[in-house]
Amino acid sequence: MKIAVSACLLGENCKYNGGSNRCTRLLELLSGRPDIEAVPVCPEVAGGLSTPRRPAEIVDGVVIDNQGMSVDREYRLGVDREMAKLSADIESGELVAVVLQSRSPSCGVHHVYDGTFSGRLVPGKGVFASALEAAGVPLVDASEIR
């Protein structure tokens, strides 16, 4: 059985600011489950974006960085690449869930930033979370890990 996990939650320094969102509780849960293989995913890196990189938000359906430059092509390329990586496991049913980083323009499950770079959250999904949901993969927001 496999779950895909935002690589930043596993401690990989792929977050926009060069850091990670290491989730100790998730790592503890995974270490106690040898029957589960965690597959790291990061659409931003898969799409060719550097680490660190400018923060980005979704504005009218397009991913824009905080300097007003579209990075939508890179984000969507990363989504396509990560979906291709996971496709066989999705089709076989071996991928049972995906744990994603909250609020991200790629991985936000319940909320994303509103596109004004003001820190305000709005209901919505990131572009990767949307693709996974369309493929029927159960999504778990990292904030729900207890």
Side-chain angles (χ1 to χ4, degrees):
M1 172 171 38
K2 295 181 182 179
I3 62 167
V5 180
S6 291
C8 62
L9 296 172
L10 298 173
E12 190 172 317
N13 291 327
C14 57
K15 189 175 166 181
Y16 78 94
N17 65 4
S20 77
N21 291 312
R22 188 174 196 277
C23 181
T24 304
R25 181 64 183 138
L26 175 61
L27 293 168
E28 289 170 353
L29 290 169
L30 290 171
S31 72
R33 295 292 309 265
D35 57 320
I36 298 176
E37 178 185 344
V39 179
V41 290
C42 182
E44 291 96 336
V45 171
L49 293 168
S50 64
T51 304
R53 59 189 163 275
R54 291 183 183 132
E57 297 185 6
I58 300 171
V59 179
D60 296 325
V62 177
V63 186
I64 304 290
D65 72 20
N66 67 348
Q67 299 298 307
M69 301 296 296
S70 175
V71 287
D72 196 70
R73 183 182 70 76
E74 292 86 348
Y75 271 71
R76 294 186 191 277
L77 175 62
V79 169
D80 291 346
R81 288 178 174 166
E82 293 293 33
M83 291 299 290
K85 179 171 93 174
L86 298 173
S87 66
D89 293 328
I90 292 171
E91 290 172 16
S92 71
E94 191 170 357
L95 185 71
V96 297
V98 180
V99 181
L100 298 172
Q101 174 53 40
S102 309
R103 304 173 306 275
S104 159
S106 288
C107 298
V109 173
H110 302 299
H111 296 91
V112 292
Y113 291 106
D114 70 354
T116 65
F117 297 91
S118 64
R120 186 171 160 257
L121 293 172
V122 294
K125 288 191 176 9
V127 293
F128 186 44
S130 293
L132 288 161
E133 182 178 65
V137 180
L139 305 176
V140 177
D141 187 290
S143 67
E144 298 167 346
I145 305 294
R146 300 193 200 303

